[in-house]
Amino acid sequence: MTTMIQVAEEVRGEDVDILARVPMFAGIDAPTLARMAQVARVVRVPRGTVLFSQGDDAKALYVLLEGQVGLSGKVEDLGDDTVVEILDAGEAFVAAAVLTGKPYLIGATALTPARVLELPRQALLDDLRASPDLALAMLGSLARHFRLLVREVKDLKLKSASQRLALYLLGLTPRRRGTVIVRLPHNKGLIAARVGVRPETLSRAFAQLKGHGVVVDGQNVAIADLAVLVDYCHEGWENV
Amino acid sequence: MTTMIQVAEEVRGEDVDILARVPMFAGIDAPTLARMAQVARVVRVPRGTVLFSQGDDAKALYVLLEGQVGLSGKVEDLGDDTVVEILDAGEAFVAAAVLTGKPYLIGATALTPARVLELPRQALLDDLRASPDLALAMLGSLARHFRLLVREVKDLKLKSASQRLALYLLGLTPRRRGTVIVRLPHNKGLIAARVGVRPETLSRAFAQLKGHGVVVDGQNVAIADLAVLVDYCHEGWENV
DNA sequence: TCCTGTTATTGACATTAGTCAAATCAGGCA
DNA sequence: TGCCTGATTTGACTAATGTCAATAACAGGA
């Protein structure tokens, strides 16, 4: 829970390349991107830094240039805390909050040392008005993201903890059949919060998946047959 | 589970007025709206009609002109079924699916006799490219909707069934303090699916809320003090 | 290597929500 | 009115998940 000591940096040339590869900005012309980079600020933060907290007014769109960031929500009286999303480099976040101008519903914390680009709200809004392509790209990006959330809501309502864990594991590989060994990208406590259960329950969910060909060894998870897991989750056509 | 017998109708003049009041199309110039109405189709369907099913390819954006429609998701092997959203007249739906062009993650069923406007996918995409204002309006609308889902995910992960029911009740009134009597807009089975619990559990959740000043009488729910409920849900600034 | 604090697992138990079945209630209609 | 059907509630029980506490495994630093 490091406090917010940020080191502002120059925006590097390669950062613009990263921007160009962010799905949200796919296909945007170079001048627009350069203009965005112009007004953006890049900060390098140590692990544990709180980029912003739930309830803060949305003042910028963020793009994760390097590292990992967790988006988590909590109940007022603290204690409980759930991870809504875990982001990797090349992903933009909190677009919805910035567009509505309302306070963040979630907070963002650096899970590793990270480099983050901040695009001020007003600059984004100006760019959106100036570049119809940007608006369309964001619309597509937000729509894809929206669907992930819809799936999440359905899973939370309809699937068990072990099934959700299985879905999480399936999300770690693009393959859908055969044997595979995946490496857990986070410690289990964080994964538990992501899946929406307590760490103890996660342990037991892993134990349960043993019956479906899942063997855990530290950070490595061996899955004997992905198709078995897919079946266990009653996943049909949804993995499109 | 009526089959899909639809009666196509003329698009009426007042339908364009409804369109103009849909948040997703707020501020769009009249010519664009008229053009959209031109290519749209209006159908009148009886209660229970399945407008489309989970897994169908998204082929149109829908606007509910009259009646109520439920969006529900289910697990493959049937049986379980959850209501992701309940829509009222004047709301557009499945924008995200149409924009991505992927199959619907949810199905839509008329909960009452309804009149629905269908805007074909390609027409929408054309209009978006032609009208930057439309793209911006949809972006704003999708962003607001997105945040509702984020809140939903948080609530499902962090709150109990009774708390989620309390949140649902709070959603029926704009007020946040004082005494109020709200009328349940649906039967309890549907509300249960919306809240994400079984009907039996909903009954018991209502019983539990009695301890917080909630008295149920058929479709009418008397809430002695909204502030008490807000507090019970640990809702802070979130109701912005 | 040993210490030490963190992370993960396990066990015992409490709580919550789901299941199944029966009882009750409500509304529509002959 | 009296019956019927479906919705809702209630009870008894089961299953799933959370809680608390103890233990075990691990990683990093002295």
Side-chain angles (χ1 to χ4, degrees):
Chain A
M1 200 147 9
T2 309
T3 57
M4 177 103 166
I5 301 169
Q6 298 178 340
V7 183
E9 295 190 352
E10 286 289 303
V11 178
R12 305 179 197 156
E14 65 248 42
D15 292 341
V16 180
D17 296 341
I18 296 182
L19 272 193
R21 259 179 256 110
V22 173
M24 186 173 288
F25 304 130
I28 303 306
D29 54 292
T32 301
L33 284 179
R35 186 148 33 87
M36 285 171 52
Q38 198 78 32
V39 293
R41 191 169 76 110
V42 171
V43 295
R44 180 183 291 277
V45 298
R47 174 192 150 102
T49 306
V50 174
L51 294 170
F52 54 80
S53 301
Q54 179 173 315
D56 290 356
D57 275 321
K59 62 182 202 314
L61 174 70
Y62 290 81
V63 178
L64 183 54
L65 300 172
E66 291 172 27
Q68 295 181 330
V69 164
L71 303 182
S72 59
K74 53 182 191 294
V75 177
E76 295 304 302
D77 67 17
L78 198 66
D80 279 334
D81 196 340
T82 194
V83 172
V84 175
E85 206 164 344
I86 301 176
L87 300 155
D88 291 309
E91 297 191 79
F93 53 106
V94 290
V98 174
L99 288 170
T100 59
K102 299 272 179 79
Y104 297 118
L105 294 173
I106 49 183
T109 307
L111 303 175
T112 65
R115 239 162 45 87
V116 182
L117 182 145
E118 288 179 24
L119 183 62
R121 169 174 156 80
Q122 198 52 56
L124 175 69
L125 296 183
D126 292 343
D127 286 337
L128 278 173
R129 258 183 283 276
S131 166
D133 279 352
L134 177 60
L136 290 178
M138 279 197 73
L139 198 47
S141 166
L142 200 57
R144 280 190 300 278
H145 201 160
F146 188 95
R147 285 167 59 87
L148 294 180
L149 279 187
V150 170
R151 201 173 294 190
E152 181 97 5
V153 168
K154 280 175 49 180
D155 291 343
L156 285 168
K157 282 185 177 179
L158 297 173
K159 312 229 162 132
S160 70
S162 320
Q163 286 175 316
R164 295 203 307 274
L165 172 57
L167 287 170
Y168 174 83
L169 294 176
L170 288 171
L172 296 177
T173 169
R175 308 193 48 212
R176 281 296 170 274
R177 39 181 311 173
T179 303
V180 76
I181 295 182
V182 297
R183 174 154 260 267
L184 298 178
H186 315 284
N187 66 35
K188 302 216 174 112
L190 188 59
I191 293 174
R194 174 67 188 76
V195 172
V197 298
R198 300 285 135 171
E200 297 93 324
T201 303
L202 189 80
S203 274
R204 291 168 177 133
F206 266 124
Q208 197 154 348
L209 291 186
K210 227 177 282 189
H212 300 272
V214 176
V215 179
V216 188
D217 173 30
Q219 302 266 111
N220 294 320
V221 179
I223 302 172
D225 184 355
L226 287 164
V228 170
L229 269 199
V230 170
D231 190 59
Y232 174 66
C233 303
H234 298 106
E235 280 290 295
W237 50 272
E238 300 223 11
N239 27 324
V240 278
Chain B
M1 202 146 8
T2 310
T3 57
M4 177 105 167
I5 304 170
Q6 299 177 341
V7 183
E9 295 191 351
E10 285 290 304
V11 178
R12 306 182 197 154
E14 65 247 44
D15 292 340
V16 181
D17 296 341
I18 297 182
L19 273 192
R21 261 181 253 112
V22 174
M24 185 172 289
F25 304 132
I28 304 306
D29 54 292
T32 300
L33 284 179
R35 185 150 31 89
M36 285 171 50
Q38 198 76 32
V39 294
R41 191 168 76 109
V42 171
V43 295
R44 180 183 292 275
V45 298
R47 173 192 153 105
T49 306
V50 174
L51 294 170
F52 55 81
S53 300
Q54 178 172 316
D56 291 355
D57 275 322
K59 59 179 207 314
L61 173 72
Y62 291 79
V63 178
L64 183 54
L65 300 172
E66 291 173 24
Q68 295 182 329
V69 165
L71 303 181
S72 59
K74 53 181 190 293
V75 177
E76 294 304 303
D77 67 17
L78 198 67
D80 278 335
D81 195 341
T82 193
V83 172
V84 175
E85 207 163 344
I86 301 175
L87 301 153
D88 290 309
E91 298 191 77
F93 53 107
V94 289
V98 173
L99 288 171
T100 61
K102 299 272 179 75
Y104 296 119
L105 295 172
I106 49 182
T109 307
L111 302 176
T112 65
R115 244 168 35 94
V116 182
L117 181 146
E118 289 178 25
L119 182 62
R121 169 174 155 79
Q122 198 51 57
L124 175 67
L125 297 183
D126 293 344
D127 285 338
L128 278 174
R129 259 184 284 276
S131 165
D133 279 351
L134 178 58
L136 289 178
M138 278 197 75
L139 199 46
S141 165
L142 200 57
R144 280 191 300 278
H145 201 161
F146 188 95
R147 286 166 59 86
L148 294 180
L149 279 187
V150 170
R151 200 173 295 189
E152 181 96 4
V153 168
K154 281 175 50 180
D155 290 343
L156 285 168
K157 283 186 176 177
L158 298 173
K159 312 228 162 133
S160 70
S162 321
Q163 285 175 319
R164 295 204 306 276
L165 171 58
L167 287 170
Y168 174 83
L169 294 176
L170 288 171
L172 297 177
T173 168
R175 309 194 48 212
R176 281 297 171 270
R177 42 180 307 173
T179 303
V180 77
I181 295 182
V182 296
R183 173 153 262 265
L184 298 179
H186 316 284
N187 67 34
K188 303 216 175 109
L190 188 61
I191 293 174
R194 174 68 189 73
V195 171
V197 298
R198 300 283 135 169
E200 298 92 323
T201 303
L202 189 80
S203 272
R204 291 169 176 131
F206 267 125
Q208 198 154 351
L209 290 186
K210 228 177 282 189
H212 300 272
V214 175
V215 179
V216 188
D217 173 31
Q219 301 268 108
N220 295 318
V221 179
I223 302 172
D225 184 355
L226 287 164
V228 170
L229 269 199
V230 169
D231 189 59
Y232 174 67
C233 302
H234 299 107
E235 281 290 294
W237 49 273
E238 301 222 12
N239 26 325
V240 280

